[in-house]
Amino acid sequence: MNLQNFTFGIDFGTESARAVLLGLEDGRPAASAESYYRSGVIDKLLPVTPRCVALGPECALQDPMDYVDAMREVIAATLQSTAVRPEQISGIGIDCTASSVLPVKADGTPLCILPEFRRDPHSWLKLWKHHSAFAQARTIRDAALERGESWLSEYSEIVSPEWFFPKILETLDESPDAYLAADRFIEVADWLVWKLTGRETHNSYMAGLKAFWSAGRGFPSESFFAHIDKRLEKLIGTKVSKDVSPVGSQAGCLTDRAAAWVGLRPGIPVAVATSDGHAAVVASGPLSPGRMVMTMGTSICHFIGGRRRKVIPGICGCTEDDLVPDSFLYEAGQPCVGDCLAWFVGNVMPDWCVREVTRLGMSSYEWLERQAAALAPGESGLLALDWWNGNRSVLGSADVSGLLIGPTLSTGPISIYRALIEAAAFGTRIIIERFEQHDMGIGQLTACGGLANKSPLTLQIFADVTGRTIGLLASEQASAFGSAMLGAIASRQVTGGIGHDGESAVDMIDRMHCRNRSTYQSARERAAVYDRLFAEYARLYDYFGRTDGSTMKVLRGIRDDARTKRPRDNDAGSR
Amino acid sequence: MNLQNFTFGIDFGTESARAVLLGLEDGRPAASAESYYRSGVIDKLLPVTPRCVALGPECALQDPMDYVDAMREVIAATLQSTAVRPEQISGIGIDCTASSVLPVKADGTPLCILPEFRRDPHSWLKLWKHHSAFAQARTIRDAALERGESWLSEYSEIVSPEWFFPKILETLDESPDAYLAADRFIEVADWLVWKLTGRETHNSYMAGLKAFWSAGRGFPSESFFAHIDKRLEKLIGTKVSKDVSPVGSQAGCLTDRAAAWVGLRPGIPVAVATSDGHAAVVASGPLSPGRMVMTMGTSICHFIGGRRRKVIPGICGCTEDDLVPDSFLYEAGQPCVGDCLAWFVGNVMPDWCVREVTRLGMSSYEWLERQAAALAPGESGLLALDWWNGNRSVLGSADVSGLLIGPTLSTGPISIYRALIEAAAFGTRIIIERFEQHDMGIGQLTACGGLANKSPLTLQIFADVTGRTIGLLASEQASAFGSAMLGAIASRQVTGGIGHDGESAVDMIDRMHCRNRSTYQSARERAAVYDRLFAEYARLYDYFGRTDGSTMKVLRGIRDDARTKRPRDNDAGSR
């Protein structure tokens, strides 16, 4: 029987929650579990009775109660699979996608469970990839430019519809009643911590990256918000908590009520939440300069550490690293990677592939991976732009879209699948080159996340396209692993007796972090072909992403006009 | 019992042969039948034993004996379905795709049925859409430019790999033995007429459009061919017949042997063959200026008449109209329309669509048509370039490829399907505008062919995109109908007693031609949206089609390099 203490890390992803139980002393995972959200991502119809409510395009909602259920289920399932006893749990850390924004009443009740708001999409949890707050992102950016708000440069003058305030402003614009009824708008990560500890606090990582906050200057001013809309003047401090806590600190302790509900003992320290990507960075060890961490799943987040804050055009995320003194964390990203492959499987994978998959008893991805690996770089004649869900970095443009060039009558689906993976790799190379243009050299890549674990082909293509070695983290649940480490860091004052008195957060990260399971090397011959393809990718990138009035933007305008004229009453065109 | 005489028209398309039996007096079809080619289009593996031979990309071959079988079958099936007796048949006309080139021995035996050549792809029938003779098309064009050959301007300085001589030169380059062994290279249409009449003659329509011939100057000179390759010097007159006969004349009469073989009486006049598209033009009636005929099937051919021959850049087909005195026939085309929709069904139509199709007991096309019709123009945000099989007019470039722009995570397969139809319509609009820029106004469109008959949505989109009214011919077999009319015209001297003594070809066409079944009008609101989309189509058209070193051409170079390095030993990437 292992007598050491353990911490729980729980990672709330886009489709499911994953828990990892980590030994405090040896830093080894003892058990893990996963639980899917009952309603998944809600992007077509709100699951309400008597009849469903149709959602607009770019909408991506979730049911917050699915998160609560999933949390209880993964904790129970993890404990059931191990001999570790609940009394041995000495800390909890939580991470989540961001910005995933929930309107709640003053007592934390989500607006969407109130009967009078159940049919209003704006009362539900707006998932990070809820992308319909375009106009609002533009309004906020225009207002900041107009007023010369100095903080805007910290975000490369980009405001993404994915962020915190565009989502809130969208609610004000489209459902003023829901806006009025919401006592708080909160990151779902912080809401879960609130449910566990009874304390509402905004985590510094998301506040910094998604809500224009920094430790030095706080949030934007009342007059800025009033300039956008008079009704927003007192937003900060009333509907949005001013209380921001650094990642790595303790948010509070498990309340009696929450303890009973999750099946753990009361009083366990709970860490301030962070983003799923950031938690994975923590899992990967201290982020020395020159190493980039990629969390690869539905989307990719890229993380790199720096000694000072600088403005890198097109990189809209930089925040102080609360765990490592005197350093900054830069975040870039591609919003649609695993998601794009899933789009392929759901929308353009022909039935003869499905029959083949069924015959061989494989998953679609496994089969596609095997087939696509048999193709040589460049052989298909295809090239794609990976903007099926916009471009986060370096363009920071949510109104670009996908592109596939090169199909002929002899183009098969496998070639398209491989082209989508390659496009994601080219997008990452653009990001790496942007950092390097600003004297942040990147020598080595660390990968983690569902896609990295499931697709060796993806890692090989990324290695070949970027010309760099990629290390794959040993844990398949890097985010949950990192959250568990944050739980351990948060519980230091309580569990100090375990033998690591006075250990700094950095020291703990260095000691407990996850090692690599394997590495992928770039091969010269493949890299040479990809250099040629990348030159074309970069050309298309400029032409469609950087030309004023480019076709993609015009098409979006035409599309929006067409949809305004004829409300979407059927679903024939999509799934 | 109907005592009038009848003519047989047989149309040899890409996948099947169709026959129509037409009343000589009333010009009404009495019966029809269809027969598919046993081996279809051979584009992956040559169907030979003991093991198949893998074909390269862009390869599209056929078995000429399939044509012979199909001819016998459709004649028998047509006669079986009607009370018309074989003695009542007084003429036969044949049309075929072009340039579909067959190497044969001096007695007409196809090279590919000889055991020593059975495994050589170059000994088979090269179908019009056999597209691998790129390099040879370039060689021929370069030679003509270098020598200042005046006839090149008649073809807008374009030489397509689809044409007669590039296909022959490809055989010389890649299989000199097959070249040597071939006593003749011949259009399969003319070969079929040869089989029926015992006379080998080149029809003027294909000679003019696909083989650089004109009535005034004949074929290019010996020195021109010698300039390309010494071995080609005596090509014309030895391996290619110099005997060119005008369309509308009689090639000969059914021989005893052929009569026994097709089940008709000997001596029936057989018309000089023509292309399937041209036959459909004949069926549609006299081609007055301002009317354009579109034969819509796997590809689209556009026909328009003119009073004089002029050079219209990008329109590479103009030939004297042998049926209408003092006029010229212009031909333009899009090589991949129905083919592109078939590509969609075979390569990117997901299994849930297939399940839906199966559940409803519809054909895939029927179901897709119904779903796509529910979308409004512009609603999908998608736009495509229809170059899955190159661009014939106005670019005359076989090395461009397809493009799909605008997909997002909410893009479904139906939207893609509709975008492919719209792209074809935009391509037709580019062609119409090119004619109009050269003072050949086009007021009205006549449509026929499989796609036009099966897809009202396609015709509606074409009407909306071009802003013109489209009449759909009543006969579903317009080409066979037109060939039957040519059979009637060819048999005038024999059947002169029927009451139309001295009737000119134009008069016969005017009297017998097929009427419209229905018309499609353009709607202002939809046309306005398509005007906006077309502006973007035209922009992409210029950027990818007219820019030197455009991405499409670079990708093709990279692809060809990759394929050279690694011979294609599996078929994972395509189907």
Side-chain angles (χ1 to χ4, degrees):
Chain A
M1 178 60 127
N2 192 337
L3 285 174
Q4 72 176 324
N5 277 7
F6 292 84
T7 53
F8 247 120
I10 311 174
D11 161 45
F12 293 87
T14 300
E15 305 280 352
S16 67
R18 278 84 56 153
V20 162
L21 201 55
L22 203 65
L24 262 192
E25 286 189 70
D26 60 10
R28 287 202 176 168
S32 67
E34 177 164 19
S35 170
Y36 280 79
Y37 308 138
R38 204 142 297 129
S39 303
V41 177
I42 302 167
D43 54 6
K44 293 277 174 288
L45 297 168
L46 269 191
V48 289
T49 50
R51 57 193 166 67
C52 293
V53 174
L55 300 175
E58 323 291 340
C59 210
L61 306 177
Q62 291 198 309
D63 185 340
M65 302 318 289
D66 284 352
Y67 281 61
V68 172
D69 293 341
M71 173 146 67
R72 198 172 40 211
E73 284 163 19
V74 280
I75 290 176
T78 309
L79 287 175
Q80 215 156 22
S81 70
T82 170
V84 174
R85 295 183 317 265
E87 308 86 75
Q88 289 176 274
I89 311 300
S90 64
I92 300 175
I94 275 179
D95 70 80
C96 201
T97 63
S99 184
S100 295
V101 185
L102 181 65
V104 298
K105 299 303 289 180
D107 65 353
T109 306
L111 222 54
C112 65
I113 69 171
L114 304 178
E116 62 272 35
F117 287 103
R118 189 109 184 110
R119 304 181 67 80
D120 181 346
H122 294 279
S123 77
W124 294 61
L125 168 56
K126 291 183 179 173
L127 189 60
W128 65 274
K129 66 175 171 175
H130 175 85
H131 267 185
S132 55
F134 274 102
Q136 290 75 20
R138 200 161 30 221
T139 300
I140 292 171
R141 180 173 178 269
D142 290 347
L145 282 173
E146 214 173 293
R147 289 175 43 96
E149 297 281 333
S150 62
W151 50 263
L152 189 63
S153 69
E154 294 169 24
Y155 299 86
S156 274
E157 303 199 340
I158 288 169
V159 175
S160 163
E162 284 186 9
W163 292 352
F164 194 64
F165 293 116
K167 282 174 170 142
I168 296 175
L169 182 55
E170 186 196 29
T171 301
L172 177 62
D173 284 350
E174 298 189 6
S175 179
D177 288 349
Y179 179 82
L180 263 177
D183 294 319
R184 285 284 194 288
F185 289 92
I186 185 171
E187 289 283 353
V188 68
D190 296 327
W191 178 71
L192 291 167
V193 167
W194 182 6
K195 283 203 83 80
L196 293 177
T197 64
R199 177 177 162 226
E200 183 194 358
T201 186
H202 209 138
N203 72 79
S204 63
Y205 192 79
M206 294 183 195
L209 283 184
K210 314 287 178 185
F212 309 135
W213 173 91
S214 87
R217 56 164 174 76
F219 287 103
S221 65
E222 287 190 356
S223 62
F224 168 70
F225 284 107
H227 181 84
I228 297 171
D229 191 306
K230 194 68 195 158
R231 291 167 294 178
L232 293 177
E233 183 168 11
K234 301 281 178 198
L235 180 66
I236 307 297
T238 60
K239 286 182 192 284
V240 170
S241 171
K242 258 180 171 162
D243 173 6
V244 180
S245 304
V247 172
S249 68
Q250 204 183 96
C253 294
L254 204 60
T255 62
D256 291 356
R257 197 173 149 201
W261 165 66
V262 295
L264 296 173
R265 66 180 167 78
I268 299 176
V270 177
V272 167
T274 193
S275 80
D276 48 358
H278 183 215
V281 173
V282 172
S284 80
L287 194 57
S288 50
R291 183 169 69 91
M292 185 166 101
V293 179
M294 298 188 291
T295 62
M296 305 173 79
T298 52
S299 65
I300 295 184
C301 285
H302 309 77
F303 300 87
I304 167 168
R307 290 283 162 247
R308 56 195 189 86
R309 183 197 284 276
K310 50 181 156 186
V311 174
I312 301 180
I315 305 298
C316 52
C318 177
T319 184
E320 274 175 72
D321 187 341
D322 292 321
L323 297 165
V324 187
D326 303 321
S327 41
F328 290 86
L329 252 173
Y330 290 81
E331 185 181 329
Q334 292 169 269
C336 180
V337 183
D339 258 3
C340 197
L341 303 182
W343 175 86
F344 174 91
V345 169
N347 290 282
V348 294
M349 176 162 156
D351 73 313
W352 61 268
C353 293
V354 176
R355 281 199 304 273
E356 210 40 29
V357 165
T358 310
R359 189 176 70 79
L360 296 167
M362 294 173 147
S363 81
S364 294
Y365 296 102
E366 219 179 328
W367 183 80
L368 287 164
E369 166 106 1
R370 188 178 296 190
Q371 300 295 316
L375 296 173
E379 183 184 356
S380 70
L382 294 180
L383 183 62
L385 284 175
D386 51 315
W387 302 341
W388 261 248
N389 202 4
N391 175 294
R392 192 183 297 158
S393 317
V394 173
L395 299 177
S397 170
D399 59 356
V400 294
S401 53
L403 179 119
L404 179 71
I405 183 168
T408 69
L409 288 178
S410 60
T411 298
I414 310 297
S415 309
I416 299 175
Y417 187 76
R418 186 174 172 117
L420 296 178
I421 298 176
E422 291 171 342
F426 293 137
T428 284
R429 180 161 164 181
I430 292 266
I431 290 168
I432 290 175
E433 293 194 349
R434 175 51 55 101
F435 278 112
E436 297 212 314
Q437 283 153 8
H438 289 79
D439 300 322
M440 295 179 69
I442 294 172
Q444 205 204 335
L445 308 180
T446 303
C448 59
L451 182 61
N453 280 288
K454 281 177 207 145
S455 174
L457 175 65
T458 298
L459 292 185
Q460 189 57 58
I461 289 174
F462 271 65
D464 290 330
V465 165
T466 62
R468 285 165 175 82
T469 299
I470 303 180
L472 171 64
L473 289 191
S475 170
E476 293 197 7
Q477 302 301 348
S479 295
F481 193 114
S483 277
M485 286 168 65
L486 290 173
I489 291 167
S491 66
R492 273 179 304 169
Q493 51 267 65
V494 180
T495 57
I498 299 190
H500 300 288
D501 266 340
E503 199 178 11
S504 72
V506 178
D507 290 346
M508 284 186 80
I509 292 171
D510 201 25
R511 174 171 61 81
M512 297 176 77
H513 81 84
C514 183
R515 270 60 184 179
N516 286 342
R517 184 199 314 159
S518 51
T519 59
Y520 292 78
Q521 314 285 342
S522 160
R524 190 183 311 181
E525 200 175 328
R526 289 192 301 263
V529 179
Y530 280 133
D531 282 346
R532 292 172 70 191
L533 286 169
F534 178 71
E536 294 306 313
Y537 177 90
R539 184 145 68 129
L540 297 176
Y541 196 101
D542 283 348
Y543 184 69
F544 289 106
R546 294 189 167 120
T547 312
D548 277 342
S550 99
T551 294
M552 285 176 184
K553 294 178 192 193
V554 176
L555 287 177
R556 193 166 284 257
I558 295 173
R559 183 198 73 176
D560 292 345
D561 291 351
R563 285 182 175 164
T564 313
K565 268 187 208 143
R566 201 189 66 151
R568 192 174 175 71
D569 53 5
N570 76 64
D571 227 32
S574 66
R575 193 204 187 189
Chain B
M1 180 59 127
N2 193 337
L3 285 174
Q4 72 176 324
N5 277 7
F6 292 84
T7 52
F8 247 119
I10 311 173
D11 160 46
F12 293 86
T14 300
E15 306 279 351
S16 67
R18 277 86 54 149
V20 161
L21 200 54
L22 202 65
L24 262 193
E25 287 188 70
D26 60 8
R28 287 203 174 164
S32 67
E34 179 165 18
S35 170
Y36 280 80
Y37 307 137
R38 204 145 294 129
S39 302
V41 177
I42 303 167
D43 54 5
K44 294 274 175 288
L45 298 168
L46 270 191
V48 290
T49 50
R51 57 191 167 66
C52 293
V53 174
L55 300 174
E58 323 291 342
C59 211
L61 306 177
Q62 291 197 310
D63 186 341
M65 301 319 288
D66 285 352
Y67 282 60
V68 173
D69 292 341
M71 174 145 67
R72 201 173 34 215
E73 285 163 18
V74 281
I75 291 177
T78 308
L79 288 174
Q80 215 155 24
S81 70
T82 170
V84 174
R85 295 183 316 266
E87 308 87 78
Q88 289 175 272
I89 311 299
S90 64
I92 300 177
I94 276 180
D95 69 83
C96 200
T97 62
S99 182
S100 296
V101 184
L102 180 66
V104 298
K105 299 304 289 181
D107 66 353
T109 305
L111 222 56
C112 64
I113 72 171
L114 302 177
E116 61 271 35
F117 287 104
R118 188 110 185 109
R119 303 182 68 79
D120 181 345
H122 294 280
S123 78
W124 293 62
L125 167 56
K126 291 184 180 173
L127 190 59
W128 65 274
K129 66 175 171 174
H130 175 85
H131 266 186
S132 55
F134 274 102
Q136 290 76 20
R138 202 161 29 222
T139 300
I140 292 172
R141 179 173 178 269
D142 291 347
L145 283 173
E146 215 173 294
R147 288 173 43 94
E149 296 281 334
S150 62
W151 51 264
L152 189 62
S153 69
E154 294 168 24
Y155 300 87
S156 274
E157 303 199 340
I158 289 168
V159 176
S160 163
E162 283 185 12
W163 292 351
F164 192 65
F165 293 116
K167 282 174 170 144
I168 295 175
L169 183 54
E170 186 195 29
T171 300
L172 176 63
D173 284 350
E174 298 189 7
S175 179
D177 287 349
Y179 179 83
L180 263 177
D183 295 317
R184 285 283 194 287
F185 290 92
I186 185 170
E187 290 284 353
V188 66
D190 296 327
W191 178 72
L192 291 167
V193 167
W194 183 6
K195 283 203 84 77
L196 293 177
T197 64
R199 177 178 163 223
E200 183 193 357
T201 187
H202 209 137
N203 72 80
S204 62
Y205 192 79
M206 294 182 194
L209 284 184
K210 315 286 180 186
F212 310 136
W213 174 89
S214 86
R217 53 161 178 77
F219 287 102
S221 65
E222 287 191 355
S223 60
F224 168 70
F225 284 107
H227 181 84
I228 296 170
D229 191 303
K230 194 67 193 158
R231 291 168 293 178
L232 294 177
E233 184 168 12
K234 302 281 177 195
L235 180 66
I236 306 296
T238 60
K239 287 182 192 284
V240 170
S241 171
K242 258 182 172 162
D243 173 6
V244 180
S245 304
V247 172
S249 67
Q250 205 183 95
C253 294
L254 204 59
T255 61
D256 290 357
R257 196 174 151 200
W261 164 67
V262 295
L264 296 173
R265 65 179 167 80
I268 299 176
V270 177
V272 167
T274 192
S275 79
D276 47 358
H278 184 216
V281 173
V282 173
S284 79
L287 195 55
S288 50
R291 184 168 69 90
M292 185 166 102
V293 178
M294 300 189 292
T295 61
M296 307 172 77
T298 52
S299 65
I300 295 183
C301 285
H302 309 77
F303 300 88
I304 166 168
R307 289 283 162 244
R308 56 194 189 88
R309 182 196 283 277
K310 49 182 157 185
V311 173
I312 301 181
I315 304 299
C316 51
C318 176
T319 184
E320 275 175 72
D321 189 340
D322 292 319
L323 296 165
V324 186
D326 303 320
S327 41
F328 290 85
L329 252 173
Y330 290 81
E331 184 182 329
Q334 291 170 271
C336 180
V337 182
D339 259 3
C340 196
L341 303 182
W343 174 86
F344 174 91
V345 169
N347 290 283
V348 293
M349 177 162 156
D351 73 312
W352 62 269
C353 293
V354 176
R355 280 200 304 274
E356 209 42 26
V357 165
T358 311
R359 190 176 68 80
L360 296 167
M362 292 173 149
S363 81
S364 293
Y365 297 102
E366 219 180 328
W367 184 80
L368 286 164
E369 165 107 1
R370 188 178 294 190
Q371 300 295 316
L375 296 173
E379 182 183 356
S380 70
L382 294 181
L383 184 62
L385 284 176
D386 51 316
W387 300 341
W388 259 249
N389 201 4
N391 174 293
R392 192 183 298 158
S393 317
V394 174
L395 298 177
S397 169
D399 60 354
V400 293
S401 53
L403 179 121
L404 178 72
I405 183 168
T408 68
L409 289 178
S410 58
T411 297
I414 310 295
S415 309
I416 298 175
Y417 186 75
R418 186 176 171 115
L420 296 178
I421 298 176
E422 291 170 341
F426 294 135
T428 285
R429 179 161 165 181
I430 292 267
I431 289 168
I432 290 175
E433 295 194 347
R434 174 51 54 102
F435 278 112
E436 298 213 314
Q437 283 153 10
H438 290 78
D439 300 322
M440 294 180 69
I442 294 172
Q444 206 204 334
L445 309 180
T446 302
C448 60
L451 182 61
N453 279 288
K454 283 180 206 141
S455 174
L457 175 65
T458 297
L459 292 185
Q460 189 57 58
I461 289 173
F462 271 64
D464 289 331
V465 165
T466 61
R468 283 165 176 83
T469 298
I470 303 180
L472 172 64
L473 289 190
S475 170
E476 294 197 6
Q477 303 300 348
S479 296
F481 193 115
S483 277
M485 286 168 64
L486 290 173
I489 292 167
S491 64
R492 274 179 302 167
Q493 51 266 63
V494 180
T495 56
I498 298 190
H500 301 287
D501 265 340
E503 199 179 10
S504 71
V506 177
D507 289 346
M508 284 187 79
I509 292 172
D510 201 24
R511 175 172 60 81
M512 296 177 76
H513 81 84
C514 183
R515 269 60 185 179
N516 287 340
R517 184 198 313 158
S518 52
T519 59
Y520 292 77
Q521 314 286 342
S522 159
R524 190 184 310 182
E525 201 175 326
R526 290 193 300 264
V529 178
Y530 280 133
D531 281 346
R532 293 171 69 190
L533 286 168
F534 177 71
E536 294 307 313
Y537 177 90
R539 183 144 70 128
L540 297 176
Y541 195 101
D542 284 346
Y543 184 70
F544 288 106
R546 295 189 166 121
T547 312
D548 276 343
S550 99
T551 293
M552 283 176 185
K553 295 178 190 193
V554 175
L555 287 176
R556 194 167 283 257
I558 295 173
R559 183 199 72 174
D560 291 345
D561 291 352
R563 285 182 175 163
T564 314
K565 268 187 206 143
R566 202 189 66 152
R568 192 173 177 72
D569 54 4
N570 76 66
D571 225 33
S574 65
R575 195 205 189 193

